[in-house]
Amino acid sequence: MQGSTAIPEALTEALRAARRVCVLTGAGVSAESGVPTFREAQTGLWEKYRPESLATMEAFLADPAFVWKWYRWRRELVAKSRPNAGHIALTELERCFDEFTLVTQNVDRLHRAGGSQNIVEFHGDLFADICIAGCADPAANDDEIPYCNHCGNLLRPGVVWFGEAIPQQALYRSSEAAERCDVMLCVGTSSQVYPAAGLSGLARRSGAVTAEINPEPTGGPEFNFVIAGQSGLILPELVASLKQSSDE
Ligand code: OAD
């Protein structure tokens, strides 16, 4: 029986034979939930600002109230969104393998809401408030400029800013998953930002079969398969073709 039209049979077979799978997602996976991708997100009041000029420690310390205003706007935007068929398909895919690691560059918590379990939030969590001095579990608050209830330092959104290192734990878990996996899927990312963008090359060099899913393929040389399509359409097809072949 012929698999789905969009999914190469050889990719379905590689997934069928796989024990360990790693998936890297970017803003494109949340696009169909109405969350604008990172590179098109700035609208309205924020149109004239580049994210790179707001999402930095320098910008925050220079004007914490202004940067908090931007993040509260982004939180409001994202809070209205719900997981889409692509998020749900990744949750189903996770159940098909002994080891499945979902590394996401997205900070919108939509993979959690979609039911994914083993998630690495590579660029942090938009909805977390963290103390800039590193206190554990500061109490969140909605003051214009929130301060840590333990040490009195500023609270900041729990996302990785430009120029900051990826949290060690996230870096380790995602590199480990990329090195160990049999198949790596790279979904909805422009693959412009390292070290996240380096994971698919690491997987390929470690012997994995790699595939990119993106309506605008990035042309990265590390992909065995390139599927030009929206994640909300392709991922459910990929799950269906995997289940179909295992039912045969
Ligand atoms: P980008 O906005 O750079 O890229 C989004 C990608 O999603 C593009 O390649 C689109 O073609 C693709 N896309 C759009 N709609 C899609 C759909 N329905 N299905 C699948 N793909 C779709 O966002 P990211 O690659 O996630 O880092 O950006 C990576 C990082 O750059 C962000 O996490 C952020 C930014 O600097 C930090 O905040 C540290």
Side-chain angles (χ1 to χ4, degrees):
M1 185 187 297
Q2 177 57 32
S4 97
T5 46
I7 314 298
E9 196 57 36
L11 176 58
T12 304
E13 286 315 308
L15 280 166
R16 214 175 145 210
R19 285 190 54 247
R20 294 186 286 259
V21 168
C22 180
V23 178
L24 172 69
T25 63
V29 169
S30 295
E32 291 160 74
S33 292
V35 178
T37 65
F38 196 83
R39 306 254 174 297
E40 63 191 27
Q42 297 300 88
T43 56
L45 163 69
W46 305 102
E47 203 159 1
K48 54 182 177 289
Y49 297 97
R50 288 174 57 250
E52 287 78 351
S53 66
L54 293 169
T56 67
M57 180 59 92
E58 294 73 21
F60 179 69
L61 294 178
D63 189 344
F66 189 66
V67 173
W68 262 115
K69 193 171 174 195
W70 181 52
Y71 275 98
R72 291 200 171 109
W73 172 73
R74 286 183 63 196
R75 284 179 176 178
E76 227 174 276
L77 199 69
V78 172
K80 295 177 193 142
S81 61
R82 294 289 167 269
N84 63 59
H87 294 104
I88 305 304
L90 286 171
T91 299
E92 287 179 53
L93 201 62
E94 181 166 16
R95 299 186 187 118
C96 301
F97 300 98
D98 298 336
E99 279 184 35
F100 185 95
T101 305
L102 175 57
V103 182
T104 186
Q105 299 170 91
N106 302 337
V107 295
D108 56 31
R109 288 192 180 176
L110 284 177
H111 285 301
R112 297 192 204 185
S116 289
Q117 297 299 307
N118 191 26
I119 305 171
V120 179
E121 292 180 331
F122 205 71
H123 289 158
D125 171 11
L126 178 64
F127 295 95
D129 292 357
I130 58 177
C131 166
I132 61 168
C135 293
D137 304 325
N141 69 68
D142 285 337
D143 299 347
E144 190 192 15
I145 304 180
Y147 290 92
C148 175
N149 57 306
H150 300 308
C151 71
N153 276 297
L154 283 164
L155 292 185
R156 57 171 279 184
V159 297
V160 175
W161 279 335
F162 290 96
E164 290 188 322
I166 301 299
Q168 276 302 319
Q169 172 75 338
L171 209 51
Y172 174 75
R173 285 178 61 201
S174 46
S175 310
E176 173 90 355
E179 280 173 345
R180 286 170 53 89
C181 69
D182 303 305
V183 176
M184 177 155 189
L185 306 177
C186 196
V187 192
T189 177
S190 60
S191 292
Q192 286 177 15
V193 174
Y194 286 79
L199 290 171
S200 44
L202 174 60
R204 179 73 187 265
R205 288 191 301 280
S206 305
V209 168
T210 56
E212 178 181 52
I213 298 170
N214 191 324
E216 294 161 35
T218 60
E222 69 273 27
F223 298 115
N224 298 105
F225 299 99
V226 174
I227 305 172
Q230 294 190 323
S231 47
L233 297 173
I234 299 297
L235 289 171
E237 281 201 35
L238 186 135
V239 171
S241 65
L242 180 63
K243 289 189 171 173
Q244 196 178 55
S245 61
S246 62
D247 293 346
E248 279 169 356

